Coordinates of all heavy atoms in Angstrom, one line a residue:
Chain A
S73 N 129.0 89.5 98.9 CA 129.6 88.9 97.7 C 130.3 90.0 96.8 O 131.4 89.8 96.3 CB 128.6 88.2 96.8 OG 128.0 87.1 97.5
Q74 N 129.7 91.1 96.7 CA 130.2 92.2 95.8 C 131.4 92.8 96.5 O 132.4 93.2 95.8 CB 129.2 93.2 95.5 CG 128.0 92.7 94.7 CD 128.4 92.4 93.3 OE1 129.5 92.9 92.8 NE2 127.7 91.5 92.6
A77 N 134.2 90.4 95.9 CA 134.6 90.4 94.5 C 135.3 91.6 94.1 O 136.2 91.6 93.2 CB 133.3 90.2 93.6
R92 N 129.5 81.9 98.6 CA 129.0 81.7 97.2 C 127.8 80.8 97.2 O 126.8 81.0 96.6 CB 130.1 81.1 96.3 CG 131.1 82.2 95.8 CD 132.1 81.7 94.8 NE 133.0 80.7 95.5 CZ 134.1 81.1 96.1 NH1 134.4 82.4 96.1 NH2 134.9 80.3 96.6
G93 N 127.9 79.7 98.0 CA 126.7 78.7 98.1 C 125.5 79.4 98.7 O 124.4 79.2 98.2
H95 N 124.8 82.6 98.7 CA 124.2 83.6 97.8 C 123.4 82.9 96.6 O 122.4 83.4 96.2 CB 125.3 84.5 97.3 CG 124.7 85.8 96.6 ND1 123.7 86.5 97.1 CD2 125.0 86.4 95.4 CE1 123.4 87.5 96.3 NE2 124.2 87.4 95.2
R96 N 124.0 81.8 96.1 CA 123.2 81.1 95.1 C 121.9 80.7 95.6 O 120.9 80.8 94.9 CB 124.0 79.8 94.7 CG 125.0 80.1 93.6 CD 125.8 78.8 93.3 NE 127.2 79.1 93.2 CZ 128.2 78.2 93.4 NH1 127.9 77.0 93.8 NH2 129.4 78.6 93.2
M99 N 119.6 83.6 95.8 CA 119.1 84.1 94.5 C 118.1 83.1 93.9 O 117.1 83.5 93.2 CB 120.3 84.3 93.6 CG 121.1 85.5 94.0 SD 120.2 87.1 94.0 CE 119.9 87.3 95.7
A100 N 118.3 81.8 94.1 CA 117.4 80.8 93.6 C 116.0 81.1 94.2 O 115.0 81.0 93.5 CB 117.9 79.4 93.9
L101 N 116.0 81.4 95.5 CA 114.7 81.6 96.2 C 114.0 82.9 95.6 O 112.8 82.9 95.3 CB 115.0 81.8 97.7 CG 113.7 82.2 98.5 CD1 112.6 81.2 98.4 CD2 114.1 82.5 100.0
T102 N 114.8 83.9 95.3 CA 114.2 85.1 94.7 C 113.5 84.8 93.4 O 112.5 85.4 93.1 CB 115.2 86.3 94.6 OG1 116.2 86.0 93.6 CG2 115.9 86.7 95.9
L103 N 114.2 84.0 92.6 CA 113.6 83.6 91.3 C 112.3 82.8 91.4 O 111.4 83.1 90.7 CB 114.6 82.8 90.5 CG 116.0 83.5 90.1 CD1 116.8 82.7 89.3 CD2 115.7 84.9 89.4
M104 N 112.3 81.9 92.4 CA 111.1 81.1 92.6 C 110.0 82.0 93.1 O 108.8 81.8 92.7 CB 111.4 79.9 93.5 CG 112.2 78.9 92.8 SD 112.3 77.3 93.7 CE 113.4 77.7 95.0
L105 N 110.3 83.0 93.9 CA 109.3 83.9 94.4 C 108.8 84.8 93.3 O 107.6 85.1 93.2 CB 109.9 84.8 95.6 CG 110.1 84.0 96.9 CD1 110.9 84.9 97.8 CD2 108.7 83.7 97.5
E106 N 109.7 85.2 92.4 CA 109.2 86.0 91.2 C 108.3 85.2 90.4 O 107.3 85.7 89.8 CB 110.4 86.5 90.4 CG 111.1 87.6 91.2 CD 112.2 88.3 90.3 OE1 112.7 87.7 89.3 OE2 112.5 89.5 90.7
R107 N 108.5 83.9 90.2 CA 107.6 83.0 89.5 C 106.2 83.0 90.2 O 105.2 83.1 89.5 CB 108.2 81.6 89.4 CG 107.2 80.6 88.7 CD 107.9 79.3 88.4 NE 108.3 78.6 89.6 CZ 109.1 77.6 89.6 NH1 109.6 77.1 88.5 NH2 109.5 77.0 90.7
L110 N 104.3 86.3 89.6 CA 103.7 86.4 88.3 C 102.4 85.6 88.3 O 101.4 86.0 87.7 CB 104.6 85.9 87.2 CG 105.8 86.8 87.0 CD1 106.7 86.3 85.9 CD2 105.4 88.3 86.6
T129 N 111.2 92.3 95.4 CA 111.5 92.3 94.0 C 111.4 93.8 93.4 O 112.1 94.1 92.5 CB 110.7 91.3 93.2 OG1 111.2 91.2 91.9 CG2 109.2 91.8 93.0
A132 N 114.6 95.4 94.4 CA 115.7 94.8 93.7 C 115.8 95.3 92.2 O 116.9 95.5 91.7 CB 115.5 93.2 93.7
R133 N 114.6 95.4 91.6 CA 114.6 95.8 90.2 C 114.6 97.3 89.9 O 115.0 97.7 88.8 CB 113.5 95.1 89.5 CG 113.7 93.5 89.4 CD 112.5 92.8 88.7 NE 112.8 91.4 88.5 CZ 113.4 90.9 87.5 NH1 113.8 91.7 86.5 NH2 113.7 89.6 87.4
D138 N 121.9 96.2 90.9 CA 121.5 95.0 90.1 C 120.6 94.2 91.0 O 120.8 94.1 92.2 CB 122.8 94.2 89.7 CG 122.5 93.0 88.8 OD1 122.2 91.9 89.4 OD2 122.5 93.1 87.6
P139 N 119.7 93.5 90.4 CA 118.8 92.7 91.3 C 119.5 91.7 92.2 O 119.0 91.3 93.2 CB 117.8 92.0 90.3 CG 117.8 92.8 89.1 CD 119.2 93.4 89.0
A140 N 120.7 91.2 91.7 CA 121.4 90.2 92.5 C 121.9 90.7 93.8 O 122.4 90.0 94.7 CB 122.5 89.6 91.7
R142 N 120.0 92.2 96.0 CA 118.9 92.3 97.0 C 118.2 90.9 97.1 O 117.6 90.4 96.2 CB 117.9 93.3 96.5 CG 116.6 93.5 97.3 CD 116.9 94.0 98.7 NE 115.8 94.7 99.4 CZ 114.8 94.1 100.0 NH1 114.8 92.8 100.1 NH2 113.8 94.8 100.5
F144 N 115.4 88.5 99.1 CA 114.1 88.6 99.8 C 113.6 87.2 100.0 O 113.9 86.2 99.2 CB 113.2 89.5 99.1 CG 113.0 89.3 97.6 CD1 112.0 88.4 97.1 CD2 113.8 89.9 96.7 CE1 111.9 88.2 95.7 CE2 113.7 89.7 95.3 CZ 112.7 88.9 94.8
R193 N 106.6 75.1 100.7 CA 108.1 75.2 100.6 C 108.7 76.3 101.4 O 109.8 76.8 101.0 CB 108.5 75.2 99.1 CG 108.1 76.4 98.3 CD 108.9 76.5 97.0 NE 108.4 77.6 96.2 CZ 107.5 77.5 95.3 NH1 107.0 76.3 95.0 NH2 107.2 78.6 94.6
V226 N 108.9 91.9 85.2 CA 109.6 90.6 85.5 C 109.3 89.7 84.3 O 108.1 89.5 84.0 CB 109.0 90.0 86.8 CG1 109.6 88.6 87.0 CG2 109.3 90.9 88.0
A227 N 110.4 89.3 83.7 CA 110.2 88.4 82.5 C 109.3 89.0 81.5 O 108.4 88.3 80.9 CB 109.8 87.0 82.9
G228 N 109.3 90.3 81.3 CA 108.5 91.0 80.3 C 107.1 91.3 80.8 O 106.3 92.0 80.1
Chain B
E8 N 115.5 82.5 76.7 CA 114.0 82.4 76.8 C 113.4 83.7 77.4 O 113.8 84.0 78.5 CB 113.6 81.2 77.6 CG 112.2 81.1 78.1 CD 111.2 81.1 76.9 OE1 111.2 80.1 76.2 OE2 110.4 82.0 76.9
P9 N 112.5 84.4 76.7 CA 112.0 85.6 77.4 C 111.3 85.3 78.7 O 111.2 86.1 79.6 CB 111.0 86.2 76.3 CG 111.5 85.5 75.0 CD 112.1 84.2 75.4
A10 N 110.6 84.1 78.7 CA 109.9 83.7 80.0 C 110.9 83.0 80.9 O 110.6 81.9 81.4 CB 108.8 82.8 79.6
A11 N 112.0 83.7 81.2 CA 112.9 83.2 82.2 C 113.4 84.3 83.0 O 113.4 85.5 82.6 CB 114.1 82.5 81.5
V12 N 113.7 84.1 84.3 CA 114.2 85.1 85.2 C 115.6 84.6 85.6 O 115.9 83.4 85.7 CB 113.3 85.4 86.4 CG1 112.1 86.2 86.0 CG2 112.9 84.1 87.1
F13 N 116.5 85.6 85.8 CA 117.9 85.2 86.2 C 118.5 86.2 87.1 O 118.0 87.4 87.2 CB 118.7 84.9 85.0 CG 118.9 86.2 84.1 CD1 120.1 87.0 84.3 CD2 118.0 86.5 83.1 CE1 120.3 88.1 83.5 CE2 118.2 87.7 82.4 CZ 119.3 88.5 82.5
R14 N 119.6 85.8 87.8 CA 120.4 86.7 88.5 C 121.8 86.5 88.2 O 122.3 85.3 88.2 CB 120.2 86.5 90.1 CG 118.8 86.8 90.6 CD 118.6 88.3 90.7 NE 117.4 88.6 91.4 CZ 116.1 88.7 90.9 NH1 116.0 88.5 89.6 NH2 115.1 89.0 91.7
T15 N 122.6 87.5 87.9 CA 124.0 87.4 87.6 C 124.8 87.6 88.9 O 124.8 88.6 89.5 CB 124.4 88.5 86.6 OG1 123.5 88.4 85.4 CG2 125.8 88.3 86.1
L16 N 125.5 86.5 89.2 CA 126.3 86.5 90.4 C 127.8 86.8 90.1 O 128.1 86.9 88.9 CB 126.2 85.2 91.2 CG 124.8 84.6 91.3 CD1 124.8 83.4 92.2 CD2 123.8 85.7 91.9
T17 N 128.6 86.8 91.1 CA 130.0 87.1 90.8 C 130.7 85.8 90.2 O 131.8 85.9 89.7 CB 130.8 87.5 92.1 OG1 130.6 86.5 93.1 CG2 130.2 88.8 92.6
D18 N 130.1 84.7 90.3 CA 130.7 83.4 89.9 C 129.8 82.7 88.9 O 130.1 81.5 88.7 CB 131.1 82.5 91.0 CG 129.9 82.2 91.9 OD1 128.9 82.9 91.8 OD2 130.0 81.1 92.6
G19 N 128.9 83.3 88.3 CA 128.0 82.6 87.4 C 126.6 83.2 87.3 O 126.4 84.4 87.7
V20 N 125.6 82.5 86.8 CA 124.3 83.0 86.7 C 123.3 81.9 87.2 O 123.5 80.7 87.0 CB 124.0 83.3 85.2 CG1 122.5 83.7 85.1 CG2 124.9 84.3 84.7
V21 N 122.3 82.4 88.0 CA 121.2 81.5 88.4 C 120.0 81.8 87.5 O 119.6 83.0 87.4 CB 120.8 81.7 89.8 CG1 119.8 80.6 90.2 CG2 122.0 81.6 90.7
V22 N 119.4 80.8 86.8 CA 118.4 81.0 85.8 C 117.2 80.1 86.2 O 117.4 79.0 86.6 CB 118.8 80.7 84.4 CG1 117.8 81.1 83.4 CG2 120.2 81.3 84.1
L23 N 116.0 80.6 86.0 CA 114.8 79.8 86.2 C 113.8 80.0 85.0 O 113.5 81.2 84.7 CB 114.1 80.2 87.5 CG 112.8 79.5 87.8 CD1 113.0 78.0 88.0 CD2 112.1 80.1 89.1
S24 N 113.5 79.0 84.4 CA 112.4 79.0 83.4 C 111.1 79.2 84.0 O 110.8 78.5 85.0 CB 112.5 77.8 82.5 OG 111.3 77.7 81.7
L25 N 110.2 80.0 83.4 CA 108.9 80.2 83.9 C 107.9 79.3 83.1 O 106.7 79.4 83.3 CB 108.5 81.7 83.9 CG 109.4 82.6 84.6 CD1 108.9 84.1 84.5 CD2 109.5 82.3 86.1
I26 N 108.4 78.5 82.2 CA 107.5 77.7 81.4 C 106.8 76.6 82.2 O 105.6 76.5 82.1 CB 108.3 77.1 80.2 CG1 109.1 78.1 79.4 CG2 107.4 76.3 79.3 CD1 108.2 79.1 78.6
E27 N 107.6 75.9 83.0 CA 107.1 74.8 83.8 C 107.0 75.3 85.2 O 108.0 75.8 85.8 CB 108.0 73.6 83.7 CG 108.1 73.0 82.3 CD 106.7 72.5 81.8 OE1 105.9 72.1 82.6 OE2 106.6 72.5 80.6
P28 N 105.8 75.1 85.9 CA 105.6 75.7 87.2 C 106.5 75.1 88.3 O 106.7 75.6 89.3 CB 104.2 75.5 87.5 CG 103.7 74.4 86.6 CD 104.6 74.5 85.4
D29 N 107.0 73.8 88.0 CA 107.8 73.1 89.1 C 109.3 73.1 88.8 O 110.0 72.4 89.5 CB 107.2 71.7 89.3 CG 105.8 71.8 89.8 OD1 105.5 72.7 90.6 OD2 105.0 71.0 89.3
D30 N 109.7 73.7 87.7 CA 111.2 73.7 87.4 C 112.0 74.3 88.6 O 111.5 75.2 89.3 CB 111.5 74.5 86.1 CG 111.2 73.7 84.9 OD1 110.9 72.5 85.1 OD2 111.3 74.2 83.8
E31 N 113.2 73.8 88.7 CA 114.1 74.3 89.7 C 115.1 75.3 89.0 O 115.4 75.1 87.8 CB 114.9 73.2 90.4 CG 114.0 72.3 91.2 CD 113.6 72.9 92.5 OE1 114.3 73.6 93.1 OE2 112.4 72.6 92.9
P32 N 115.6 76.3 89.7 CA 116.7 77.1 89.1 C 117.9 76.4 88.8 O 118.3 75.4 89.4 CB 117.0 78.1 90.3 CG 115.8 78.1 91.2 CD 115.3 76.7 91.1
L33 N 118.6 76.8 87.7 CA 119.8 76.2 87.3 C 121.0 77.2 87.5 O 120.8 78.4 87.4 CB 119.8 75.9 85.8 CG 118.8 74.9 85.2 CD1 118.9 74.8 83.7 CD2 119.1 73.5 85.9
F34 N 122.1 76.7 87.9 CA 123.3 77.5 88.1 C 124.3 77.3 87.0 O 124.7 76.2 86.7 CB 123.9 77.2 89.4 CG 125.2 78.1 89.7 CD1 125.1 79.5 89.8 CD2 126.4 77.5 89.8 CE1 126.2 80.2 90.0 CE2 127.5 78.3 90.0 CZ 127.4 79.6 90.1
L35 N 124.6 78.3 86.2 CA 125.6 78.3 85.1 C 126.8 78.9 85.7 O 126.9 80.1 85.8 CB 125.1 79.0 83.9 CG 123.6 78.7 83.4 CD1 123.3 79.5 82.2 CD2 123.5 77.2 83.1
A36 N 127.8 78.1 85.9 CA 129.0 78.6 86.6 C 130.0 79.2 85.5 O 130.0 78.8 84.4 CB 129.8 77.4 87.3

Side-chain angles (χ1 to χ4, degrees):
Chain A
S73 297
Q74 294 293 337
R92 282 186 289 275
H95 191 45
R96 274 178 221 154
M99 291 298 100
L101 176 60
T102 65
L103 298 182
M104 290 192 286
L105 287 167
E106 287 189 339
R107 178 171 61 192
L110 292 179
T129 193
R133 289 179 175 272
D138 180 275
R142 178 65 156 82
F144 47 91
R193 63 165 178 264
V226 175
Chain B
E8 163 62 63
V12 284
F13 64 93
R14 295 286 192 271
T15 305
L16 314 187
T17 56
D18 59 339
V20 178
V21 185
V22 190
L23 176 65
S24 166
L25 304 180
I26 306 292
E27 298 295 333
D29 296 322
D30 276 356
E31 295 286 323
L33 297 176
F34 178 63
L35 311 179

